[in-house]
């Protein structure tokens, strides 16, 4: 018999502290959790159920879709469309807003998600994740339009990610700190295992895709060069480096033991000011990171303050341990 707090118990107890809460949000989160358990199962079974490999299609961003990108997108939709809590959904894998089918009632929330982040890792059995963000619909019970989703990240009601790693974890914030839950497969429940997660303010670990180095701007060039100089350079200490190529895994490492993650602005493609997407990657992760005491910025501005211009907008991301991110932001200010 388990003795820990289940996620359902945790959310219901949180809901009791919110005056006027109707239980809608708790029910919505329950549906998200069902999708995540289903995705976890598919990712875990992998080749046994024929879900590995790529399709011949591309998503709206011109990226080749993996079979699992499409399957997991479908799983998120099917779990969340029917219960009457949402007025619309948007995802990395869909060009436009997904309207709630007319046979279902509409609700007061919007959800944006990346159903399988880091999916280039899926065929090689390295961690991937699901990222989601819940917003309030500006007009409840009305089919949402794209403009309804273009809210700054500070307005998120909830953000979370699932990490399909050596264990499956769900990490969540509703604006009162960050809590981590581990899936107990024997009982099918997420159990609170990482209460009140906090990112250490200092770190000696950085994460960046160094193959893009020639495209970086001067402040990032300077910061990374100084990390590489280690104890013989101006930082006076040796650094370690990691790059999983799964943002969920990188953010989870940072939440666990500190670190800095950068997918900065670069000159590789003038039409893309960064690689990661604001609405369903950068915003939810920034909300979680800030709630855990970290900092998240483009280098020039706080990500959560940005007003999105479109669903699939890309942004530079620099996030993690407070003091370390501040060093990089200082270099941006110096130009
Ligand atoms: P995806 O949503 O298509 O998987 O792309 C996002 C991922 C992040 O998880 C990760 O940080 C980054 O792309 C890795 O990029 P790269 O291939 O340049 O290493
Ligand atoms: Mg992604």
């Amino acid at each position: 018999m388990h003795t820990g707090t289940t996620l359902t118990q945790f959310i219901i107890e949180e809901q009791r502290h919110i005056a006027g809460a109707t239980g809608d949000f708790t029910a919505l989160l329950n549906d998200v959790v069902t999708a995540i358990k289903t995705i976890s199962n598919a990712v875990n079974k992998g080749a046994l159920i024929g879900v590995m490999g790529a399709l011949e299609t591309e998503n709206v961003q011109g990226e080749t879709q993996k079979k699992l990108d499409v399957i997991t997108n479908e799983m998120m939709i099917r779990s969340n469309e029917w219960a009457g809590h949402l007025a619309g959904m948007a995802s990395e894998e869909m060009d436009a807003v997904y309207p709630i089918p007319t046979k279902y009632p509409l609700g007061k929330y919007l959800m944006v998600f990346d159903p399988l982040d880091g999916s280039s890792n899926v065929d090689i059995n390295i961690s991937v994740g699901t990222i989601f963000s819940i917003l309030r619909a500006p007009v409840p019970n009305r089919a949402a339009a794209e403009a309804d989703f273009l809210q700054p990240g500070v307005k998120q009601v909830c953000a979370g990610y699932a990490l399909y790693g050596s264990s499956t974890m769900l990490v969540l914030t509703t604006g009162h700190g960050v809590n981590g839950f581990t899936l107990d497969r024997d009982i099918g429940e997420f159990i609170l295992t990482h209460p009140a997660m906090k990112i250490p303010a200092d770190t000696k670990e950085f994460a960046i895709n160094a193959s893009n180095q020639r495209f970086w701007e001067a402040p990032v060039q300077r910061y990374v060069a100084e990390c590489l100089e280690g104890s013989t350079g101006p930082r006076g200490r040796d650094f370690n480096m990691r790059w999983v190529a799964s943002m969920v895994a990188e953010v989870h490492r940072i939440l666990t033991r500190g670190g800095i993650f950068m997918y900065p602005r670069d000159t590789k493609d003038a039409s893309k000011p960064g690689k990661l997407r604001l609405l369903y990657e950068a915003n939810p992760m920034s909300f979680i990171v800030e709630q855990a005491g970290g900092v998240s910025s483009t280098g020039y501005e706080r990500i959560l303050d940005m007003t999105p211009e479109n669903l699939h907008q890309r942004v530079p991301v620099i996030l993690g341990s407070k003091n370390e991110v501040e060093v990089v932001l200082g270099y941006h200010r110096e130009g």
Side-chain angles (χ1 to χ4, degrees):
M1 202 183 112
H2 80 86
T3 48
T5 304
T6 67
L7 176 58
T8 315
Q9 212 176 331
F10 179 87
I11 318 166
I12 290 176
E13 277 165 15
E14 268 213 338
Q15 182 199 314
R16 289 197 186 121
H17 301 298
I18 305 169
T22 57
D24 262 16
F25 173 72
T26 304
L28 169 59
L29 215 48
N30 243 354
D31 293 341
V32 176
V33 168
T34 302
I36 284 168
K37 287 182 195 167
T38 316
I39 295 172
S40 172
N41 193 43
V43 167
N44 188 255
K45 292 233 163 72
L48 292 175
I49 53 169
V51 293
M52 310 308 260
L55 294 167
E56 277 170 13
T57 53
E58 287 187 346
N59 66 11
V60 59
Q61 352 237 348
E63 298 158 341
T64 308
Q65 286 180 304
K66 298 276 182 189
K67 281 186 199 164
L68 265 176
D69 283 324
V70 173
I71 294 169
T72 55
N73 191 60
E74 201 62 20
M75 287 169 169
M76 285 295 277
I77 288 175
R78 292 291 96 84
S79 279
N80 290 293
E81 67 181 348
W82 59 274
H85 307 304
L86 292 174
M89 287 184 251
S91 144
E92 175 170 330
E93 303 304 334
M94 296 181 289
D95 191 352
V97 169
Y98 176 81
I100 303 298
T102 48
K103 62 182 170 184
Y104 300 127
L106 292 166
K108 60 182 177 204
Y109 295 106
L110 304 175
M111 187 159 73
V112 284
F113 55 87
D114 179 355
L116 201 66
D117 184 59
S119 57
S120 69
N121 277 327
V122 85
D123 291 339
I124 53 171
N125 209 351
I126 287 180
S127 300
V128 288
T130 299
I131 310 173
F132 65 92
S133 159
I134 297 172
L135 298 158
R136 254 175 241 291
V139 182
N141 315 319
R142 186 200 67 186
E146 173 166 352
D148 296 337
F149 288 83
L150 306 181
Q151 306 180 29
V154 284
K155 295 210 164 159
Q156 291 170 99
V157 175
C158 172
Y161 67 77
L163 174 62
Y164 313 111
S166 43
S167 53
T168 289
M169 283 197 67
L170 178 59
V171 173
L172 268 188
T173 185
T174 54
H176 309 282
V178 178
N179 292 285
F181 303 81
T182 305
L183 181 61
D184 182 337
R185 288 188 189 277
D186 292 338
I187 58 168
E189 288 274 10
F190 278 99
I191 307 294
L192 180 62
T193 48
H194 295 60
M197 296 175 89
K198 284 281 167 219
I199 300 175
D202 292 296
T203 183
K204 292 196 227 171
E205 203 160 60
F206 69 99
I208 191 163
N209 182 345
S211 70
N212 294 324
Q213 187 198 350
R214 67 187 186 284
F215 304 110
W216 298 338
E217 294 182 333
V220 172
Q221 295 279 4
R222 174 181 170 191
Y223 173 74
V224 173
E226 290 180 359
C227 289
L228 295 176
E229 282 179 74
S231 54
T232 58
R235 302 302 304 279
R237 61 182 201 263
D238 290 334
F239 280 77
N240 193 11
M241 198 212 77
R242 287 285 181 276
W243 187 252
V244 189
S246 270
M247 189 196 200
V248 175
E250 320 269 9
V251 169
H252 192 70
R253 182 185 63 248
I254 290 170
L255 277 166
T256 310
R257 67 177 191 212
I260 178 167
F261 167 90
M262 290 171 285
Y263 218 116
R265 179 183 299 278
D266 65 34
T267 55
K268 201 173 181 177
D269 176 346
S271 68
K272 296 177 186 165
K275 175 175 184 188
L276 299 171
R277 275 58 51 121
L278 175 57
L279 278 176
Y280 42 81
E281 293 175 329
N283 266 346
M285 290 313 204
S286 299
F287 192 20
I288 291 169
V289 164
E290 286 198 5
Q291 284 292 317
V295 176
S296 182
S297 168
T298 64
Y300 301 94
E301 64 182 316
R302 183 185 180 212
I303 288 177
L304 291 180
D305 284 336
M306 295 178 73
T307 300
E309 285 161 19
N310 61 67
L311 281 184
H312 301 290
Q313 180 176 345
R314 295 176 190 256
V315 280
V317 175
I318 299 173
L319 60 76
S321 291
K322 183 171 185 298
N323 294 340
E324 204 58 25
V325 176
E326 292 297 351
V327 171
V328 186
L329 300 190
Y331 293 174
H332 281 80
R333 281 191 292 273
E334 286 173 35

